[in-house]
């Protein structure tokens, strides 16, 4: 929508705009869930399993229950509720069996946090420890112990997922395109490798926190730090058999999510505790350590790729096997599997493709959505694989990418035809390559090599991602004009740092011709007051809510024009408006102000015309379909955002130490709505990408205990760890159904970065890495030791 | 690394606090410690106390009234008060000019700025964690550690002090009062380097090198390695190889190799023993080359 308006005709869209929420956040005025005050508030604490897998023989809560000030003590025994986004496999508290280290087995609500913790100490749990299933590949073997012996009894979302009862496979996604066998037989070269990723934690600044009040007659109020208020409401209603009208979810400011708050988290347990405490409000706030294993993480991945290529460097066939380690529960992992399966090749055309994506249960903390939704993980393997093949074919890796890139007329893995308006990954690669001076070292870089004794190399990677969402995803926006002609807007996208609310304010302003200062978009999410949105995930917010906002403005203006037509005794087709008034085009002095129309126009004699000016806009994904379960063919993608990273780095060949000198990233955003917000997403995501590329990841011991659940032992990069030079570049191929041509860029800056780093390290040093994260030590091992030599440190990230 | 199971118990802290004492002198502090042995804990910056999990301790002795936060010249020595923070150490002009700034540089590499505003010199030495940045530097400069206890003041050489954990070396009723640095080393060339996974991660390995260099001849070299093993190590064989020699690239390589042999490295989450050994070889060489520039 509005995708072809020249820049000079745009007032607010495309212009640098300060974030609408920055002052409140920077001055500490913004109120988060943890800041809210409730009379009679109780504090929850959670008893967690010290074992990865064990039978619960007995839980003695008698001593805890007797403590003064303790209002509720719960175990799984009395909570017969099942939870699950796509596959309903999780209890609120473990019943009979614990399936991962850190799983909740009992919980307490008491008058102070300290008292709650003391009560926890009094709860005695008897376990019968069992050997955990820790390796996803072993878990797929026929003789593996089952994490969920009752898989056949679970309900699941049947159009999209295929659990395999009697196994640990929670879902298998199949994609079949062309003729894979013929493709391989026609290929001149076959390349086959395996690439791996560990679990990673999202580490939002604000940990999960919810306050629940289970009132009389099945009414439930929840304030929570979440991404998706309506999904939280729906899952609570389904789990507890409550009516949607009776469950009220409000979401104040949220301090980051990154997918970790996409679904449901601590809300159900807080609600159960409140019910047990006779409706007193209960606050459950996760500690940083609880974030790592009470709450979910990014899935681990083993990615096996077999590719057939012709002598002239065209990929003919590719077989891709993705083994997603979902941990103890399926949560979003089944959909990560589905979405990454249909994108598995990266932005390259594969005429004959075969993808098997498996979601595999293990006895580890469970996997969920994480910025990139599987694409960061598989792009690591895919992008390393591209360079691995290019070297053996004797083709420059960038040239190899360009030869195989998706372009107009190409068919994706699911048979979707790429159009000129889909976006331009070639332009992204070319822009990134130019920014890093790909293909040669500058004089300055040569001098640096001489000075440091390190080797400098460059690489360019490419990426794509479409929103992973149901084909029928929907949203709505509501506008209300106030007495002074200003606008209050409501929608249920959660602003947890992306900057979308600022961009939507610009879109509303542009469409209304009002300055953004006249528009207030309520940051607080509220299922009783704001219209529905499915979830704030998948980089779909700007496109879908942007369209809903445009439609809401049209709706409001329709009403305003009709009312003004009566006031001015004119036909609406002869009217136009500016920021203050509606006027007759050929008699501009004949006008009526918005402030006079806002809540209904009053004639001088007291008679009224019209009514309060409101506008509603709905938007639903158009033309998408389910994927065929046997072939994976169909239309899953709302839009594809393409991108590319150019990386320059230097490696010390003796020790494997490396420094990233430059990252230049280009994305086809369709149309930049707010350059500041795009820059924020590009740099922020890139640095988060650096974290998972270089240092983050879960470490377990042989019994499945998580060893590094803290910022002490699981490091994330800080401002002092960023590359010397960072550049964000936009390519703008308008998205025809995007608002002003825009498409989302919330996740993409993380994707394929690690591949670019791994490739540049290889070209600089010869260190051939297939596991991320890449630590300096890993480079050293790869350079100076054989795998056999390596006694992987007990605490290695795996 | 802590085992996660321990983390399940919730906040770790001094659970039953019934006394908060703020003495004005060192002597008074020692008396308070003697009065109820094992029951009272010293509180300086608070970063250690905040992770102390103890059922025994019920009193805290605040050291901020002792005026031990000085960094000053005292005759032949630089005296560092035990309650001086890492931030003070890294910002001190006296320390920046002392032996190539190794003490200031080590302090600047501790944790993050908010932590450095809290962590004190004495607290850091008393806990002597594997990853502590200062012990190897003090070992390199032959610092003297002054401790006050029931028997009065006692001074330890760095070699003695860092040979075992302070809880095994010192009486329970002691406090670390001061660290003395020999001013004779002030003009030595020196370099400190920390190798860590991220800028605020605990060190995998730290290297401190010091030497005098006259007409290219190395005298009084000192090399100390931290974090690679439970206690910091002086590399005496490497130092001997350097002493009196004309500095060269080859000499630096040789010293690196010798230093590598001298440290019995151990595995931890920050690196394998073999990688740490490699880093020692390389970092010693690199830092020697840097001080010779």
């Amino acid at each position: 929508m509005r995708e072809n308006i020249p820049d000079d005709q745009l007032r607010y869209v495309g212009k640098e705009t300060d974030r609408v929420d920055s002052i409140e956040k920077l001055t500490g005025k913004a109120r988060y869930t943890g800041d809210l005050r409730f009379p009679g508030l109780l504090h929850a604490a959670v008893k967690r399993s010290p074992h990865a897998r064990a039978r619960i023989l007995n839980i003695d809560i008698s001593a805890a229950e007797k403590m003064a000030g303790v209002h509720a003590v719960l175990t799984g025994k009395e909570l017969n509720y099942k939870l699950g986004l796509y596959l309903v496999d999780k209890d609120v508290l473990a019943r009979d069996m614990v399936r991962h280290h850190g799983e909740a087995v009992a919980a307490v609500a008491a008058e102070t946090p300290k008292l709650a913790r003391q009560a926890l100490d009094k709860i005695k749990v008897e376990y019968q420890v069992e050997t955990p299933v820790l390796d996803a590949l072993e878990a797929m073997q026929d003789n593996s112990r089952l994490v969920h012996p009752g898989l056949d009894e679970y309900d699941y979302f049947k159009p999209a997922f295929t659990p395999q009862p009697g196994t640990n496979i929670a879902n298998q996604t199949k994609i079949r395109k062309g003729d894979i066998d013929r493709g391989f037989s026609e290929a001149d070269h076959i390349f086959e490798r395996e690439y791996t990723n560990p679990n990673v934690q999202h580490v939002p600044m604000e940990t999960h926190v919810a306050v629940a009040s289970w009132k009389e007659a099945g009414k439930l109020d929840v304030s929570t730090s979440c991404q998706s208020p309506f999904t939280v409401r729906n899952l609570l209603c389904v789990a507890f058999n409550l009516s949607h009208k009776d469950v009220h979810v409000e979401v104040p400011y949220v301090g980051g999510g990154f997918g970790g708050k996409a679904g449901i988290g601590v809300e159900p347990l807080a609600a159960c505790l409140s019910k047990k405490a006779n409706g007193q409000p209960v606050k459950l706030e996760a500690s940083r350590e609880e974030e790592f294993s009470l709450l979910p993480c990014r899935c681990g991945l083993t990615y096996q790729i077999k590719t057939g290529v012709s002598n002239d460097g065209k990929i003919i066939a590719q077989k891709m096997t993705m083994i997603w380690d979902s941990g103890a529960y399926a949560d979003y992992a089944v959909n990560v599997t589905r979405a990454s399966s249909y994108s598995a090749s990266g932005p390259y055309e594969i005429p004959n493709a075969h993808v098997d994506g498996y979601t595999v249960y293990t006895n580890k903390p469970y996997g969920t959505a994480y910025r990139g939704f599987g694409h960061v993980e598989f792009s690591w393997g895919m992008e390393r694989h591209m360079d691995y093949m290019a070297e053996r074919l004797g083709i420059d890796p960038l040239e190899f990418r360009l030869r195989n890139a998706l372009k107009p007329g190409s068919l994706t893995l699911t048979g979707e035809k790429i159009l000129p308006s889909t976006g331009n990954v070639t332009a992204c690669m070319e822009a990134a390559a130019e920014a890093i001076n790909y293909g040669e070292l500058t004089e300055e870089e040569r001098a640096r090599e001489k000075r440091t004794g390190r080797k400098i190399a460059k690489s360019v990677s490419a990426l794509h991602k479409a929103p992973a969402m149901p084909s029928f995803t929907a949203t709505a926006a509501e506008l209300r004009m106030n007495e002074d002609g200003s606008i209050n807007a409501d929608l249920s996208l959660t602003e947890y740092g992306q900057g979308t609310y600022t961009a939507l304010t610009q879109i509303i302003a542009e469409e209304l011709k009002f300055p953004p200062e006249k528009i207030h978009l309520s940051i607080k999410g509220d299922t009783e007051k704001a219209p529905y949105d499915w979830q704030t995930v998948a980089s779909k917010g700007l496109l879908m809510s942007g369209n809903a906002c445009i439609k809401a403005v049209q709706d409001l203006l329709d009403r305003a024009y009709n009312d003004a037509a009566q006031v001015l005794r004119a036909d609406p087709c002869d009217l136009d408006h500016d920021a203050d008034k509606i006027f007759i085009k050929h008699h501009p002095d004949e006008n009526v102000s918005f402030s006079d129309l806002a809540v209904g126009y009053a004639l001088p004699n007291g008679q009224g015309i019209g009514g309060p000016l409101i506008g509603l806009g709905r938007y639903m994904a158009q033309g998408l379909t389910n994927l065929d379960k046997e072939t994976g063919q169909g239309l899953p993608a709302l839009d594809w955002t393409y991108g590319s990273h150019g990386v320059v780095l230097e490696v010390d060949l003796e020790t494997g130490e490396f420094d990233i000198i430059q990252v230049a990233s280009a994305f086809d955003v369709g149309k930049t709505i707010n350059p500041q917000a795009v820059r924020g997403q590009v740099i922020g995501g890139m640095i988060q990408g650096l974290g998972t590329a270089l240092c983050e990841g879960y470490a377990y011991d042989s019994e499945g205990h998580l060893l590094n659940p803290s910022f002490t032992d699981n490091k994330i990069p800080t401002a002092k760890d960023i590359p010397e030079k960072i550049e964000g570049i936009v390519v703008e191929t308008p998205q025809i159904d995007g608002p002003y041509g825009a498409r989302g860029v919330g996740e993409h800056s993380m994707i394929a970065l690690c591949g670019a780093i791994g490739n540049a390290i290889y070209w600089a040093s010869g260190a051939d890495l297939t596991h991320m994260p890449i630590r300096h030590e890993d480079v050293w091992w790869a350079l100076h030791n054989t795998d056999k030599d390596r006694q992987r440190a007990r605490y290695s990230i795996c | 690394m802590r085992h996660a199971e321990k983390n399940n118990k919730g906040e770790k802290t001094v659970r039953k606090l019934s006394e908060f004492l703020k003495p004005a002198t060192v002597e008074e502090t020692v008396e308070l410690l003697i009065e109820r042995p094992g029951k009272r804990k010293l509180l300086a910056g608070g970063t250690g106390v905040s992770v102390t999990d103890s059922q025994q301790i019920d009193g805290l002795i605040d050291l901020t009234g002792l005026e031990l936060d000085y960094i000053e010249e005292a005759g032949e020595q630089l005296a560092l008060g035990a309650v001086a923070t890492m931030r003070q150490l890294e910002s001190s002009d006296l320390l920046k000019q002392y032996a190539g700034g190794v003490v200031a540089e080590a302090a600047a590499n501790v944790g993050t700025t908010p932590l450095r505003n809290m962590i004190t010199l004495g607290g850091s030495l008393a806990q002597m964690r594997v990853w502590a940045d200062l012990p190897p530097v003090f070992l390199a400069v032959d610092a003297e550690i002054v401790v006050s206890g029931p028997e009065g003041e006692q001074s330890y050489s760095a070699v003695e002090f860092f040979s075992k954990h302070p809880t095994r070396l010192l009486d329970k009723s002691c406090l670390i009062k001061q660290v003395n640095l020999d001013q004779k080393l002030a003009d030595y060339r020196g370099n400190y380097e920390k190798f860590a996974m991220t800028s605020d991660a605990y060190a995998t390995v730290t290297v401190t090198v010091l030497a005098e260099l006259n007409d290219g001849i190395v005298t009084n070299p000192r090399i100390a390695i931290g974090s690679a093993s439970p206690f910091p190590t002086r590399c005496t064989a490497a130092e001997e190889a350097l002493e009196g020699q004309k500095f060269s690239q080859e000499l630096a390589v040789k010293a690196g190799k010798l230093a590598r042999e001298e440290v019995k490295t151990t595995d931890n989450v920050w690196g394998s023993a073999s990688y740490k050994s490699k880093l020692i070889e390389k970092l010693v060489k690199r830092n020697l080359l840097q001080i010779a520039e």
Side-chain angles (χ1 to χ4, degrees):
Chain A
M1 257 190 270
R2 313 272 191 273
E3 73 279 8
N4 280 325
I5 301 176
D7 277 345
D8 59 4
Q9 289 174 30
L10 292 169
R11 294 173 172 85
Y12 309 114
V13 159
K15 309 293 187 274
E16 297 276 352
T17 306
D18 287 342
R19 291 177 65 118
V20 294
D21 51 351
S22 56
I23 300 290
E24 274 194 274
K25 282 182 173 170
L26 291 173
T27 55
K29 296 271 185 346
R31 281 159 66 82
Y32 297 79
T33 301
D35 298 324
L36 304 179
R37 296 287 167 260
F38 298 82
L41 182 67
L42 300 175
H43 301 267
V46 184
K47 184 92 176 172
R48 305 198 295 129
S49 168
H51 310 295
R53 180 183 174 114
R55 299 221 159 265
I56 300 172
L57 301 178
N58 185 45
I59 305 180
D60 182 357
I61 57 171
S62 54
E65 281 184 314
K66 282 185 202 128
M67 287 174 65
V70 170
H71 290 247
V73 183
L74 279 178
T75 68
K77 208 178 241 176
E78 58 188 293
L79 300 178
N80 191 15
Y81 307 120
K82 277 263 186 265
L83 289 163
L85 282 156
Y86 298 109
L87 201 168
V88 186
D89 61 359
K90 191 173 183 313
D91 298 303
V92 178
L93 289 170
R95 312 176 81 203
D96 309 325
M97 182 90 182
V98 289
R99 293 188 172 84
H100 68 85
H101 179 216
E103 179 163 18
V105 293
V108 170
E111 286 168 12
T112 66
K114 191 176 172 190
L115 202 54
R117 282 195 302 273
Q118 287 169 344
L120 274 196
D121 287 345
K122 293 215 187 313
I123 297 176
K124 301 295 170 219
V125 189
E126 271 180 66
Y127 295 101
Q128 182 186 324
V129 180
E130 295 187 357
T131 308
V133 180
L134 297 176
D135 183 278
L137 273 67
E138 283 170 21
M140 286 178 73
Q141 312 266 326
D142 286 342
N143 58 353
S144 173
R145 288 168 156 261
L146 297 182
V147 178
H148 288 271
L151 180 55
D152 57 330
E153 292 156 22
Y154 297 159
D155 192 16
Y156 65 97
F157 183 64
K158 293 173 184 69
F161 304 110
T162 314
Q164 298 182 1
T167 74
N168 282 316
I169 298 169
N171 173 49
Q172 183 186 358
T173 298
K174 296 179 191 172
I175 310 284
R176 308 286 185 260
K177 181 189 173 195
D179 182 338
I180 190 75
D181 294 329
R182 208 186 69 207
F184 280 126
S185 71
E186 287 171 2
D188 299 309
H189 309 269
I190 306 269
F191 303 103
E192 192 167 6
R193 291 236 285 186
E194 179 179 290
Y195 304 89
T196 50
N197 303 61
N199 294 129
V200 174
Q201 174 51 224
H202 311 75
V203 295
M205 206 182 288
E206 180 201 28
T207 61
H208 285 70
V209 51
V211 180
S213 314
W214 193 305
K215 297 173 170 173
E216 80 294 343
K219 286 191 163 49
L220 177 61
D221 279 358
V222 178
S223 301
T224 179
S225 174
C226 77
Q227 296 176 211
S228 312
F230 279 89
T231 286
V232 168
R233 187 182 76 165
N234 188 44
L235 292 174
L236 289 171
C237 291
V238 171
F240 299 142
N241 194 24
L242 299 173
S243 169
H244 288 73
K245 73 182 186 321
D246 294 333
V247 177
H248 176 201
V249 176
E250 62 167 7
V251 181
Y253 274 96
V254 175
F258 309 111
K261 297 173 184 168
I264 198 160
V266 293
E267 299 89 354
L269 183 52
C272 292
L273 284 166
S274 173
K275 188 180 186 188
K276 178 98 180 191
N278 296 318
Q280 270 183 266
V282 173
K283 179 183 190 175
L284 176 47
E285 183 165 23
S287 68
R288 182 58 65 188
E289 285 167 4
E290 285 171 334
E291 285 290 296
F292 281 82
S293 62
L294 175 64
L295 289 149
C297 56
R298 189 165 90 186
C299 310
L301 171 66
T302 301
Y303 190 17
Q304 298 160 343
I305 313 173
K306 179 182 171 186
T307 312
V309 190
S310 68
N311 277 328
D312 62 350
K314 286 289 284 182
I315 297 174
I316 299 171
Q318 190 159 287
K319 184 165 190 290
M320 294 151 270
T321 308
M322 298 179 140
I323 296 150
W324 289 97
D325 184 347
S326 148
Y329 299 102
D331 201 76
Y332 276 98
V334 287
N335 202 30
V336 167
T337 303
R338 175 180 169 275
S340 50
S341 290
Y342 67 65
S343 302
S345 60
Y348 309 111
E349 185 171 27
I350 318 281
N352 303 291
H354 177 115
V355 187
D356 281 319
Y358 298 94
T359 319
V360 182
Y361 286 128
T362 60
N363 290 119
K364 291 197 282 203
Y366 64 105
T368 189
Y370 184 118
R371 193 178 198 172
F373 213 68
H375 292 57
V376 175
E377 300 91 301
F378 79 68
S379 70
W380 154 245
M382 194 59 226
E383 289 303 302
R384 282 290 292 126
H385 199 60
M386 289 300 282
D387 274 41
Y388 174 79
M389 295 191 288
E391 185 189 23
R392 277 149 189 82
L393 292 164
I395 303 174
D396 174 84
L398 174 59
E399 171 57 28
F400 183 52
R401 280 177 175 76
L402 292 169
R403 271 184 216 177
N404 289 286
L406 289 171
K407 45 186 81 66
S410 299
L411 294 179
T412 66
L413 294 182
T414 71
E416 178 189 344
K417 193 172 176 183
I418 298 299
L419 303 170
S421 60
T422 309
N424 192 336
V425 70
T426 297
C428 292
M429 284 191 268
E430 285 168 347
E434 191 188 332
I436 62 163
N437 207 7
Y438 179 81
E440 57 178 352
L441 296 191
T442 62
E443 228 162 85
E444 198 184 322
E445 286 160 347
R446 260 191 272 273
R448 182 177 174 132
E449 275 193 333
K450 207 164 171 203
R451 193 174 70 245
T452 59
R454 294 180 170 195
K455 291 291 287 179
I456 294 177
K458 304 180 180 190
S459 72
V460 172
S461 67
L463 63 104
H464 70 170
K465 185 184 178 296
M469 59 184 216
S471 53
F472 46 82
T473 297
T475 189
E478 183 187 308
L479 307 180
R480 301 184 299 274
M481 190 175 278
N482 303 310
E483 290 86 334
D484 62 352
S486 66
I487 295 281
N488 278 108
D490 262 316
L491 42 80
S492 292
L493 210 58
T494 303
E495 172 63 68
Y496 49 91
Q498 319 91 308
T500 319
Y501 271 52
T502 309
L504 293 176
T505 302
Q506 292 171 261
I507 287 172
I508 295 169
E510 187 70 48
E511 198 64 25
L512 268 175
K513 303 188 208 169
F514 282 20
E517 301 75 48
K518 282 184 79 170
I519 295 147
H520 176 66
L521 198 49
S522 172
I523 297 276
K524 190 168 144 184
D526 190 328
T527 57
E528 279 193 351
K529 300 202 174 83
Y532 174 86
D533 191 295
W534 170 63
Q535 295 183 347
T536 314
V537 296
S539 307
K540 60 86 180 154
L542 178 63
L543 191 151
M544 293 204 44
S545 295
N547 285 342
C549 285
I550 291 175
K551 290 179 71 184
V553 171
Q554 290 169 350
D555 189 45
L556 182 140
L557 287 176
D558 275 352
R559 288 176 222 273
Y561 273 42
N562 278 330
D563 295 352
Q566 291 184 57
V567 174
L568 300 172
R569 282 163 295 212
D571 189 301
C573 73
D574 287 328
L575 300 181
D576 196 358
H577 76 279
D578 60 23
D580 302 311
K581 58 191 179 297
I582 296 176
F583 54 87
I584 298 174
K585 281 187 225 170
H586 49 283
H587 295 298
D589 289 344
E590 294 287 317
N591 61 64
V592 55
S593 71
F594 279 111
S595 56
D596 284 344
L597 289 167
V599 293
Y601 186 81
L603 289 164
N605 71 355
Q607 286 178 300
I609 292 175
L613 287 180
I614 57 169
L616 285 176
R618 302 186 299 165
Y619 191 74
M620 192 157 188
Q622 303 292 300
L624 307 189
T625 65
N626 291 327
L627 300 182
D628 182 279
K629 280 204 168 184
E630 290 309 312
T631 65
Q633 297 302 294
L635 299 173
L638 178 72
D639 61 330
W640 290 99
T641 302
Y642 293 115
S644 173
H645 297 285
V647 166
V648 183
L649 54 72
E650 59 179 9
V651 184
D652 183 314
L653 304 189
E654 235 181 291
T655 58
E657 293 166 275
F658 59 92
D659 280 320
I660 297 169
I661 299 169
Q662 185 184 0
V663 178
S665 310
F667 301 95
D668 193 340
V669 300
K671 168 73 188 171
T672 307
I673 304 294
N674 184 3
Q676 284 185 27
V678 172
R679 205 154 46 235
Q681 288 286 24
V682 167
I683 295 174
M686 189 277 288
I687 293 169
Q688 192 172 14
L690 277 186
T692 73
L694 305 182
C695 51
E696 294 177 52
Y698 281 21
Y700 300 94
D701 67 13
S702 59
E703 289 161 355
H705 298 113
L706 177 58
L707 295 168
N708 57 345
S710 71
F711 284 152
T712 309
D713 300 326
N714 184 101
K715 299 311 290 187
I716 63 169
T718 68
K720 287 165 87 177
D721 299 304
I722 65 177
E724 292 168 31
K725 198 173 162 198
I726 298 170
E727 193 178 351
I729 304 160
V730 293
V731 171
E732 295 183 316
T733 310
Q735 175 78 20
I736 292 175
D737 56 352
Y740 293 90
R743 52 177 87 86
V745 69
E747 301 164 279
H748 306 80
S749 45
M750 270 193 89
I751 301 168
L753 179 66
C754 192
I757 293 169
N759 288 333
I761 287 173
Y762 176 76
W763 293 113
S765 69
D768 186 11
L769 297 154
T770 58
H771 181 72
M772 82 182 259
I774 307 166
R775 298 162 307 169
H776 296 201
E777 178 168 354
D778 299 317
V779 177
W780 176 72
W781 273 102
L783 286 175
H784 297 285
N785 306 272
T786 66
D787 265 354
K788 202 156 64 63
D789 293 340
R790 179 162 200 185
Q791 294 182 321
R792 262 188 102 87
R794 205 148 52 94
Y795 302 119
S796 64
I797 295 163
C798 54
Chain B
M1 169 174 310
R2 287 171 287 123
H3 191 290
E5 196 174 335
K6 287 184 189 162
N7 302 338
N8 260 338
K9 289 184 184 165
E11 250 171 67
K12 279 201 291 285
T13 184
V14 177
R15 293 179 180 210
K16 296 176 223 156
L17 192 60
S18 57
E19 290 184 312
F20 191 87
L21 307 158
K22 192 168 182 182
T25 66
V26 171
E27 293 70 26
E28 205 185 318
T29 309
V30 172
E31 276 167 30
L32 289 172
L33 287 168
I34 295 169
E35 218 169 73
R36 298 186 63 226
K39 294 285 183 188
R40 291 168 172 165
K41 190 167 176 67
L42 299 176
L43 169 68
T47 55
V49 170
S50 70
V51 294
T52 300
D53 187 17
S54 169
Q55 302 280 3
Q56 273 78 49
I57 293 165
D58 61 12
L60 291 178
I61 305 175
D62 182 356
L63 302 182
T64 54
L66 303 184
E67 298 185 345
L68 286 180
D69 61 348
Y70 49 81
I71 299 167
E72 60 194 23
E73 289 179 293
E76 300 287 288
Q77 295 181 316
L78 265 184
L80 318 179
V83 188
T85 63
M86 295 298 119
R87 193 76 173 146
Q88 282 176 276
L89 300 183
E90 70 172 288
S91 318
S92 156
D93 285 337
L94 284 172
L95 288 176
K96 282 184 197 166
Q97 285 154 23
Y98 180 82
V102 287
V103 178
E105 187 61 23
N109 273 286
V110 173
T112 56
T113 310
L115 283 171
R116 291 198 299 279
N117 284 327
M118 298 174 75
I119 296 170
T120 61
L121 173 58
S124 169
L125 294 186
Q127 301 196 42
M128 212 162 86
R129 307 280 187 177
V130 175
W131 57 78
D133 292 79
L134 286 171
V137 181
F138 288 150
L139 192 62
V141 300
D142 280 332
E144 182 183 49
I145 291 95
V146 183
V147 173
S148 286
E151 314 294 321
E153 272 190 12
Q154 194 180 347
S155 292
Y156 293 88
S157 72
V159 172
E160 196 181 357
F161 192 87
F162 297 119
S163 64
K164 54 177 87 157
H165 197 272
T167 49
R168 297 173 62 191
L169 180 76
L170 305 177
D171 186 278
K172 272 197 164 41
S173 305
C174 282
L175 84 151
I176 297 165
K177 183 188 163 192
Q178 184 172 305
V179 173
N180 293 323
L181 305 180
D182 190 342
Q183 286 275 42
K184 276 195 290 235
L185 275 67
D187 293 331
Y188 280 30
R189 298 180 184 216
N191 232 11
Y192 173 86
E193 184 176 351
K194 170 181 170 178
F195 178 96
M197 197 182 285
T198 65
S199 60
D200 66 0
Y202 289 135
T204 307
V205 165
T206 72
V207 168
T208 312
V209 298
L210 294 170
E212 289 182 294
L213 206 60
N214 293 307
D215 300 328
I217 305 295
V218 182
T219 50
N220 290 316
R222 286 121 187 277
I223 299 173
I225 308 299
S227 303
S229 52
F231 295 98
T233 312
R234 270 287 283 271
C235 302
T236 47
E239 291 173 4
E240 277 164 27
L242 290 165
E243 178 65 43
Q245 302 296 309
K246 185 156 181 63
F247 187 81
S248 65
Q249 168 100 15
E250 293 69 33
L251 191 64
V253 170
K254 185 180 172 190
K257 286 193 195 306
L258 286 168
R260 173 183 182 151
E261 299 304 317
E262 287 182 84
V263 185
K264 199 169 172 340
T265 55
T266 48
D267 285 325
N268 67 4
V269 69
W270 306 119
S272 66
S274 39
Y275 188 51
K276 289 178 185 179
S277 294
K278 177 68 209 178
L279 286 174
I280 292 167
E281 179 184 342
K282 174 76 182 228
L283 267 60
V284 166
K285 178 184 95 176
R286 179 153 81 207
N287 283 277
L288 283 170
L289 289 169
Q290 265 164 23
I291 65 168
E293 261 175 21

